[in-house]
Amino acid sequence: MFKKSFRVKTQSSLKGSDRKKLRADLVKAFPSLDEEALEELCPSKGDVSVMKISTHTGEIGFVYFYQRDPLVFELHKTFYPTVYLLWKHPKLLEPFTTWPTVFTKIAGGADLMLPGVIMKGDVFPWTFKHIKKGDVCSVNVQGNQSPLAIGKMLMSGLDMYESAMKGKGMTIIHYYGDELWAAGSKSEPPLIPSDTVSDNSEAASYDAEEGQPSVQNLEQLNLNDSNDEDDTNLPVDSESIEDHNDNYDDEDDEPVNTQEEMDSLLRHCFLCALKSKVKEKELPIMTITFFRNHMKAFCPEGKTLEVKKSSYKKLSKFLQEMQDNDFIKVAPKSKGVDEIIWLNKDHAELRDLIVPDITEQMKESEDDFQLPKITEMRIVTAAVLPVLKEYGYDKGSTMLPADVRAVITDYVKKNELKFDRSQSMVQLDPVLAGIVLRSGENNKFYLGWKDLISRFMKNMQVAHELKIPGKVPILKKGPLQNINIEVQKRASNKRVTIVRNLESLGICPEEFAHHVSVGVACSTSVFQETGKHVLIQGNQVNFVEKALINKYKVPRRMVTGLEYAPKTKKSKGKR
């Protein structure tokens, strides 16, 4: 359903009455949610919004967001949870556990085949007696009960038994890694071992003596990273895996990203950054800046540098060990903020270290963003439908201005409305007159060509289309808005920079805020008003201008508020 990009039609914040209706719908759809959980999903006060979408198959749906993450979506008047919601409430849906190799097939667009379901013991008629055809269930992988996909059952529990666990069991609707997941914070699934779920949970393990499936406790499995190692270390039951290979092609498992591997990656990136990237003249340098700007630059392609997945858990602990090994010296700058004040580039471990060339990689990353192609559009309204419906257009259809002019020209010629005595005048029939004439112009029978087309288009809704390479075009109502920069004065004579309308040009506010935060080492945040806006600590207009023009290729004419940049002080000449 969401393997391909969907088209955003509208997005708005939920009003109080709409929130009450949503809470009632959620209670009806998910009876197990208590009042506390509902308040967490849809609080009375908070950043709750709804996005109207059109899927790549043309289906209209609604996605409900809380803060940055989509939590539920509605299709055909049915509510479904997203993986973000299931990570908070994993017991919400009936689970099926499968192998990591099977999930890679699901992420590639396959449905869940019954031989790929991990079972403990035989299947009896009562094993899945509570499951009906069409029920919404979840999928997790062996060793982690975090749901990674949801889908509709294609068989009832009795059908599954009678088929001897063969054939398609579930059609997948949404999964971790698809476009709906990408519309959120893109966070990774938490580790939920089997022994952390209560015994009476229907969405957890089952009693093997009754013939029901059970999830084995395994080591933490990371589905995101990949390397060339084989999967021989994964605990797999050879008899069980043989069945699901009949329905899925053989493929290497996703690798296990152990703490030892992450510790080694941290150390490698640290040493490379220390030897080649950081200069002594840059000292002192904040530890978080060192990590983001320097260490991450040496992270191999396809891997992610995450301190939380290492044995250190915190960057400060890792850097403390590096200080104990005489690589650096760290000193506190302020409460909770540390900085590196000394580097030992003559350390013995750095002498034979071969540092990979990251110049080309950094150059490619700078050119990742492509400004979307922007096309002015018009949306058909009820006012102009009497003319346009003859040409196959319905209310809500989109047209290029050139197509509107072509239709009017053809309509005038077909109905012989061109006034003979003047080539620039058009005779108005009752249909055209009802569209273009204003109040008090009932005695007007002719209009000039330019005036006719201008008045006709004014009765249509203005819109614009963004075409981003490799993605489905996005239609946005209203004229294209320029990016606006504003500097506001706050308490104690402090100033903040606010950047609005980034999304109008396809720029992700969260990514832009992160780029500014790293670039100028200041705090940033994204807040919601009529759209998402970026708030930056201090007057950062100069950096924002450079980022928009150089990194995001935004034409200067489409940025307003550059005059708020701080004025540079002129140096006094010698007397």
Side-chain angles (χ1 to χ4, degrees):
M1 181 66 70
F2 295 103
K3 181 182 179 181
K4 297 183 179 179
S5 299
F6 53 84
R7 182 171 162 183
V8 179
K9 300 177 76 70
T10 60
Q11 185 170 8
S12 59
S13 298
L14 278 187
K15 299 178 181 178
S17 57
D18 295 328
R19 296 189 188 211
K20 290 181 180 178
K21 184 179 182 303
L22 176 60
R23 288 166 68 98
D25 291 335
L26 292 177
V27 169
K28 188 176 180 180
F30 313 114
S32 61
L33 290 177
D34 55 22
E35 193 64 31
E36 183 179 349
L38 286 171
E39 182 62 28
E40 179 186 359
L41 300 179
C42 184
S44 303
K45 295 181 180 179
D47 186 11
V48 182
S49 60
V50 58
M51 178 189 290
K52 185 178 180 181
I53 64 169
S54 174
T55 67
H56 71 280
T57 57
E59 297 174 273
I60 301 299
F62 298 89
V63 183
Y64 295 89
F65 288 75
Y66 176 54
Q67 294 177 345
R68 289 183 59 188
D69 292 333
L71 297 182
V72 292
F73 61 97
E74 180 184 2
L75 288 172
H76 307 298
K77 296 184 179 181
T78 301
F79 282 86
Y80 302 91
T82 67
V83 290
Y84 290 105
L85 174 57
L86 292 177
W87 293 342
K88 297 180 180 180
H89 302 279
K91 307 175 187 178
L92 204 58
L93 299 179
E94 182 76 24
F96 284 85
T97 303
T98 187
W99 307 100
T101 46
V102 175
F103 180 73
T104 60
K105 299 297 182 182
I106 291 175
D111 291 325
L112 178 64
M113 310 296 291
L114 291 180
V117 176
I118 297 177
M119 302 292 300
K120 187 174 182 179
D122 297 329
V123 178
F124 297 98
W126 58 84
T127 303
F128 299 110
K129 63 180 180 181
H130 51 289
I131 295 179
K132 301 176 183 176
K133 184 178 179 179
D135 282 356
V136 181
C137 299
S138 65
V139 180
N140 56 52
V141 295
Q142 187 186 35
N144 189 356
Q145 294 198 31
S146 284
L148 299 181
I150 68 164
K152 277 189 174 181
M153 296 303 301
L154 298 174
M155 296 184 184
S156 65
L158 185 60
D159 293 336
M160 294 164 65
Y161 166 74
E162 293 178 347
S163 69
M165 294 300 286
K166 300 288 185 181
K168 285 187 179 181
M170 181 191 302
T171 179
I172 302 300
I173 300 174
H174 158 57
Y175 60 87
Y176 160 61
D178 66 7
E179 293 297 325
L180 181 58
W181 168 85
S185 60
K186 298 183 181 179
S187 58
E188 297 181 1
L191 173 64
I192 307 178
S194 303
D195 56 358
T196 62
V197 182
S198 58
D199 295 336
N200 58 359
S201 168
E202 293 184 357
S205 55
Y206 294 84
D207 189 356
E209 293 180 0
E210 296 182 6
Q212 294 179 312
S214 173
V215 182
Q216 300 175 12
N217 295 328
L218 300 174
E219 296 178 358
Q220 181 177 0
L221 196 61
N222 189 325
L223 297 176
N224 284 336
D225 301 333
S226 61
N227 53 31
D228 296 326
E229 297 178 7
D230 59 25
D231 56 356
T232 55
N233 293 327
L234 284 177
V236 176
D237 182 358
S238 58
E239 294 181 2
S240 299
I241 199 71
E242 184 178 352
D243 288 336
H244 92 259
N245 282 337
D246 295 336
N247 296 281
Y248 297 99
D249 296 330
D250 290 335
E251 185 174 316
D252 289 341
D253 276 348
E254 297 282 346
V256 178
N257 192 359
T258 62
Q259 286 186 346
E260 291 79 8
E261 291 175 346
M262 186 57 68
D263 289 351
S264 177
L265 183 60
L266 270 175
R267 190 178 183 88
H268 168 75
C269 295
F270 171 83
L271 295 177
C272 291
L274 188 62
K275 182 172 182 177
S276 68
K277 207 161 189 303
V278 186
K279 310 298 181 185
E280 292 186 0
K281 62 182 181 181
E282 298 180 39
L283 300 179
I285 181 173
M286 293 174 58
T287 55
I288 189 63
T289 304
F290 174 78
F291 177 75
R292 290 175 177 172
N293 293 4
H294 303 293
M295 289 180 59
K296 280 191 171 183
F298 291 95
C299 186
E301 187 178 354
K303 291 184 177 291
T304 306
L305 195 62
E306 298 183 72
V307 183
K308 289 184 179 179
K309 291 186 177 180
S310 69
S311 61
Y312 302 98
K313 303 303 181 184
K314 293 182 179 180
L315 178 62
S316 58
K317 290 185 178 180
F318 170 74
L319 294 179
Q320 181 61 48
E321 182 172 309
M322 297 301 102
Q323 178 174 268
D324 296 340
N325 293 334
D326 201 31
F327 285 106
I328 57 174
K329 284 186 179 178
V330 180
K333 180 181 179 182
S334 59
K335 186 176 181 180
V337 179
D338 295 335
E339 57 184 9
I340 299 173
I341 60 174
W342 176 77
L343 307 172
N344 183 8
K345 288 183 171 288
D346 297 325
H347 198 285
E349 289 192 36
L350 299 179
R351 293 170 188 168
D352 299 326
L353 178 68
I354 300 176
V355 180
D357 184 12
I358 63 168
T359 306
E360 292 298 322
Q361 180 182 340
M362 293 177 64
K363 186 176 180 181
E364 289 176 5
S365 65
E366 290 176 358
D367 297 334
D368 280 348
F369 181 82
Q370 290 182 308
L371 193 70
K373 181 181 178 182
I374 303 166
T375 306
E376 183 183 356
M377 306 288 286
R378 293 291 187 275
I379 299 177
V380 177
T381 60
V384 299
L385 201 55
V387 169
L388 298 180
K389 66 181 179 181
E390 298 180 16
Y391 294 86
Y393 293 100
D394 298 321
K395 183 179 178 181
S397 300
T398 56
M399 300 178 66
L400 293 169
D403 294 337
V404 179
R405 286 190 288 269
V407 167
I408 297 175
T409 302
D410 185 74
Y411 181 87
V412 169
K413 289 181 179 179
K414 187 172 65 175
N415 292 279
E416 300 180 351
L417 299 178
K418 207 167 186 180
F419 187 41
D420 295 337
R421 288 177 297 176
S422 175
Q423 295 296 322
S424 63
M425 300 297 290
V426 177
Q427 182 181 357
L428 301 177
D429 66 356
V431 177
L432 273 180
I435 295 173
V436 300
L437 291 184
R438 305 186 184 103
S439 177
E441 293 183 337
N442 296 333
N443 296 325
K444 208 164 188 174
F445 301 102
Y446 304 97
L447 273 180
W449 267 109
K450 287 186 177 180
D451 198 13
L452 173 64
I453 293 174
S454 175
R455 291 188 181 199
F456 192 93
M457 285 193 180
K458 282 184 178 178
N459 283 286
M460 302 179 72
Q461 188 174 4
V462 178
H464 60 280
E465 185 181 63
L466 300 179
K467 288 185 178 179
I468 303 174
K471 294 187 178 182
V472 177
I474 301 174
L475 181 69
K476 294 193 174 186
K477 295 181 179 179
L480 178 66
Q481 294 180 318
N482 290 335
I483 294 177
N484 175 257
I485 304 173
E486 182 183 354
V487 177
Q488 292 183 358
K489 189 175 180 181
R490 298 293 172 90
S492 302
N493 203 28
K494 294 183 179 179
R495 284 172 171 76
V496 294
T497 304
I498 301 175
V499 186
R500 296 183 171 89
N501 304 329
L502 288 168
E503 291 176 300
S504 66
L505 293 180
I507 300 174
C508 175
E510 288 80 10
E511 291 180 3
F512 183 81
H514 175 71
H515 176 71
V516 176
S517 175
V518 172
V520 293
C522 68
S523 63
T524 60
S525 61
V526 178
F527 66 97
Q528 184 93 21
E529 279 184 356
T530 52
K532 288 185 177 180
H533 307 318
V534 177
L535 187 144
I536 309 166
Q537 184 182 31
N539 187 335
Q540 309 295 350
V541 176
N542 284 328
F543 184 86
V544 170
E545 176 186 2
K546 291 179 182 178
L548 291 174
I549 295 174
N550 298 334
K551 177 178 173 62
Y552 293 96
K553 311 298 187 294
V554 178
R556 193 181 296 270
R557 68 177 184 278
M558 300 184 70
V559 182
T560 61
L562 297 178
E563 64 274 12
Y564 295 115
K567 297 179 180 180
T568 55
K569 295 181 181 180
K570 296 182 179 179
S571 58
K572 295 181 180 180
K574 295 182 179 180
R575 293 184 180 179

